[in-house]
Amino acid sequence: MLILVGAASAYAQQTNITEPPITDGAKTAREIQQSEDEQKAARALEARLKARKEQEATLTRIEASIEMSKEKQSQLVKEVEQLRSDRETIQSDLIATAERIKELESSLSDRETRLKILFADQTALRVSLAEQRDSLSQVLAALQRIGRNPPPALVIRPNEALNAVRSAILLSTLVPEIRIEAQSLAAQLDELVRLHTKIETEKTGLQSGLQKLAEEQKRLDLLVAKKKNQEAESKRAAIDEEKKTIELAARARTLQDLINGMEQEIEAARLAVSEAKEAERRSLEQKIESKKQKIAALKDAARLSPAIPFDKMKGLLRLPARGALLKDFGSNDGFGGQTKGLSIATRAGAQVTSPADGWIVYAGPFRSFGKLLIINTGDGYHVVLAGLDDVFAEVGSFVLTNEPVGTMQQARLASTDLLDAGMSKPVLYIELRKDGVAINPAPWWTVALKEKADG
C-alpha cells in the first residue's frame, strides 16, 4: 500500500494535482456546461502548450550559452595569423575547416532529430497524464484517505466492527482497481523520468556540438577574410565591374542569358572563360584516369586550374551542402514540367562548398533564385548554386573542389530545426549545365542520391 501511495504522490508532484475536495453537493454550472470530453481536450491542449513553452525556453537557453570566450577568439585569431600567407596554405586550411563544419552540421542534425522525437514522446506522455487527471486524482484521493483513516479495529465497539466489515468488503472490490491504476501511473512516471534523462543527455551533446560549430565558423570567417586581403588588388578591380554585373542581371531574362552576358561583357568573367579554355588545352596533355590518380590530383591546394577535366570527375563530386533531398533532377515541378536541377533542404546557416574546381563567373542576386553562384568548370560545363544567403566567392576567382563559397539563410534553431519541423528550411538549388542546357547531375555525385542527401 505504501508503494501505491508513493506512486500517487509522485504523480501529484509531476502534475501539480492536489486531492479534490469531497463534496456531496451538485456540480458547478461550469461542470454542467462542459462535457468530460471537452474537459479532457482542454487539459490536453494546455499540456501541449506548456510543454512547447518549456521546450522553447530550453532551446533558447542553449542558444544563449553559445558564446566564445575572448580567450578562445584570440586563440583562433592568433592561429590564423600565424598561417603562411601563401595561397596553398590558406586554401588547404579553408577546405579542412569546411570539412569539419560539414561533419559537425551532419552530427548536429542527427542529434536534433533524436531530440525532436524525445520532445514529442515527452509531450505525448504529459498530455496522456493530463487527460487522465480526473481518474488519477480519484486514485490519489482514495489512497490518501486510506493512509489517513485506516479501517478501525474490531475490538473497539460493535457498530465500528460493522463499519469495518463494510469497509473491508468495499476495499476488497476497490483495491485491485486502485492497484492497477497506481501501477500504470508508476510506469508512466518512470517513462517520464527516462525521457527526461535522455533529453538532458542530448541537450548537453547539442550544446557542445553547437559550441564547436561556432568556433569552426569563426575560424572559417577569419580564413575567408585573410584570403580576401590576399586578393585585395583583384577585388578592387572587381568593384569597378560590380555596377555592370547588376545591370546585366536586371536585363537578363533567363539563366542562360545571364551566363552568356557575364562571359561576354564582364572582364573578370571573360578572363575566367579564357583560363578555363587554357586549362582544357593543358588537360589534354594529362593522363589522369584512375580514381586514385584523380584523388591525388585534387589534394594539390596550390593549383590554379582544374586538377582534371570536369567530364572525368563523374562519381567524385560531393554535394555542396548536407541536408534532405526535396526534389531530384527530372521531378515534377508542380507546373506541368520537370525540374532542371535538384533541391536540398539544409540546416539554417549551413555551409555551402564548391562541388568542383572552377572559375566564378557570377555571384549575386538574380530574380527568384535568391543569391546565385555560377561556376565555369571548363569544357562548356557550368555549376549553378542558388538560394544562398551569403556568398564568399567573387567573380573571376578560381575555387577548388570542396572550398567554402557561401552559407544558407540563418534562422533561430528553436523555431525551425527542432520544434517546427513543418516550417520551411533554407533550400539550396543545384543545377549542372553543358553548353547552356541543363543536364542530369546524378553521374557526378560520389553516392546515389537517397531521401537524405547527407548519406
Side-chain angles (χ1 to χ4, degrees):
M1 187 61 70
L2 290 175
I3 294 174
L4 301 184
V5 174
S9 299
Y11 172 74
Q13 292 174 359
Q14 286 282 338
T15 57
N16 297 320
I17 291 176
T18 57
E19 180 182 352
I22 303 172
T23 62
D24 296 325
K27 293 181 179 180
T28 65
R30 179 181 179 84
E31 289 173 332
I32 293 172
Q33 293 174 358
Q34 192 174 30
S35 69
E36 184 178 346
D37 288 343
E38 290 173 335
Q39 292 173 1
K40 283 185 178 181
R43 287 196 296 271
L45 178 60
E46 181 183 359
R48 287 191 182 94
L49 292 175
K50 183 179 179 181
R52 172 63 181 250
K53 189 174 181 180
E54 289 176 359
Q55 291 161 12
E56 285 182 340
T58 296
L59 296 172
T60 300
R61 284 195 297 272
I62 291 176
E63 287 181 333
S65 68
I66 307 304
E67 184 177 350
M68 278 184 289
S69 64
K70 291 183 178 179
E71 290 78 12
K72 185 62 180 180
Q73 292 189 54
S74 298
Q75 179 186 343
L76 287 171
V77 170
K78 187 176 181 180
E79 285 179 9
V80 173
E81 285 179 346
Q82 287 178 343
L83 287 174
R84 295 199 314 272
S85 293
D86 59 281
R87 184 178 183 279
E88 180 180 1
T89 301
I90 295 174
Q91 294 286 79
S92 295
D93 218 38
L94 270 171
I95 293 171
T97 301
E99 178 62 22
R100 290 195 297 271
I101 288 176
K102 276 192 174 181
E103 291 301 322
L104 281 169
E105 287 176 342
S106 182
S107 173
L108 286 170
S109 293
D110 290 342
R111 191 176 291 279
E112 286 166 359
T113 298
R114 292 195 298 271
L115 193 53
K116 183 167 60 179
I117 293 171
L118 289 171
F119 275 152
D121 290 345
Q122 184 189 57
T123 300
L125 190 52
R126 287 180 173 178
V127 168
S128 175
L129 288 169
E131 289 176 334
Q132 301 175 67
R133 190 169 66 184
D134 281 350
S135 60
L136 293 176
S137 293
Q138 292 171 9
V139 173
L140 171 65
L143 291 172
Q144 289 179 334
R145 284 198 297 273
I146 292 170
R148 288 199 301 265
N149 303 303
L154 293 177
V155 297
I156 300 177
R157 279 191 292 272
N159 62 332
E160 290 185 350
L162 179 59
N163 289 336
V165 171
R166 288 173 176 169
S167 297
I169 293 171
L170 181 61
L171 285 171
S172 68
T173 303
L174 294 178
V175 166
E177 293 184 11
I178 293 174
R179 180 181 291 111
I180 292 171
E181 292 281 1
Q183 287 173 343
S184 173
L185 172 60
Q188 290 182 77
L189 292 174
D190 285 343
E191 177 64 8
L192 200 57
V193 170
R194 186 189 70 82
L195 287 173
H196 177 75
T197 302
K198 291 192 72 174
I199 285 172
E200 289 301 314
T201 300
E202 292 295 342
K203 278 162 48 182
T204 300
L206 180 63
Q207 184 172 17
S208 174
L210 287 171
Q211 185 71 46
K212 291 177 182 176
L213 181 61
E215 292 171 5
E216 292 295 346
Q217 287 173 335
K218 176 64 176 177
R219 182 181 183 86
L220 182 65
D221 290 343
L222 293 169
L223 286 166
V224 169
K226 186 162 187 172
K227 181 183 178 182
K228 286 186 175 181
N229 288 337
Q230 190 182 50
E231 300 170 346
E233 186 174 340
S234 60
K235 183 179 178 180
R236 282 193 293 273
I239 291 174
D240 295 335
E241 294 188 321
E242 187 174 355
K243 289 183 179 179
K244 292 182 183 178
T245 301
I246 295 172
E247 292 171 1
L248 182 60
R251 292 200 313 269
R253 288 178 295 178
T254 66
L255 193 56
Q256 191 55 37
D257 286 344
L258 179 64
I259 294 174
N260 291 338
M262 286 293 297
E263 295 187 343
Q264 291 172 12
E265 299 182 32
I266 306 301
E267 181 62 24
R270 282 206 304 269
L271 289 173
V273 173
S274 175
E275 290 178 355
K277 289 181 178 178
E278 177 62 20
E280 290 164 27
R281 186 190 62 76
R282 291 195 301 271
S283 69
L284 295 175
E285 302 171 2
Q286 295 177 318
K287 292 186 178 181
I288 301 176
E289 297 295 338
S290 71
K291 185 174 181 179
K292 187 175 181 181
Q293 287 175 319
K294 293 175 183 178
I295 292 173
L298 291 173
K299 289 182 179 180
D300 177 18
R303 63 187 185 276
L304 295 172
S305 62
I308 48 181
F310 187 76
D311 60 357
K312 291 185 179 181
M313 288 287 287
K314 291 180 179 179
L316 291 176
L317 302 190
R318 297 174 60 187
L319 288 165
R322 302 287 177 93
L325 179 66
L326 298 180
K327 287 190 176 181
D328 201 352
F329 176 86
S331 302
N332 186 340
D333 64 3
F335 300 97
Q338 293 183 322
T339 55
K340 295 181 179 180
L342 56 97
S343 301
I344 296 175
T346 73
R347 285 176 54 83
Q351 174 188 247
V352 179
T353 58
S354 173
D357 292 353
W359 290 266
I360 305 297
V361 294
Y362 185 78
F366 180 64
R367 299 189 177 277
S368 61
F369 286 90
K371 286 193 177 177
L372 185 72
L373 199 63
I374 302 175
I375 307 170
N376 183 326
T377 57
D379 197 24
Y381 287 98
H382 290 87
V383 176
V384 177
L385 304 176
L388 287 78
D389 185 58
D390 189 21
V391 175
F392 306 147
E394 296 175 346
V395 174
S397 63
F398 177 74
V399 293
L400 304 183
T401 302
N402 300 326
E403 179 180 338
V405 291
T407 57
M408 300 301 291
Q409 183 180 9
Q410 289 285 354
R412 286 186 67 250
L413 166 74
S415 65
T416 56
D417 288 352
L418 281 175
L419 301 183
D420 288 311
M423 284 185 65
S424 60
K425 292 185 177 181
V427 176
L428 177 66
Y429 177 74
I430 307 164
E431 191 175 295
L432 180 57
R433 289 178 165 245
K434 168 63 173 172
D435 297 328
V437 179
I439 61 174
N440 186 358
W444 272 265
W445 308 126
T446 53
V447 292
L449 290 176
K450 298 177 183 178
E451 182 181 356
K452 289 278 287 183
D454 58 1

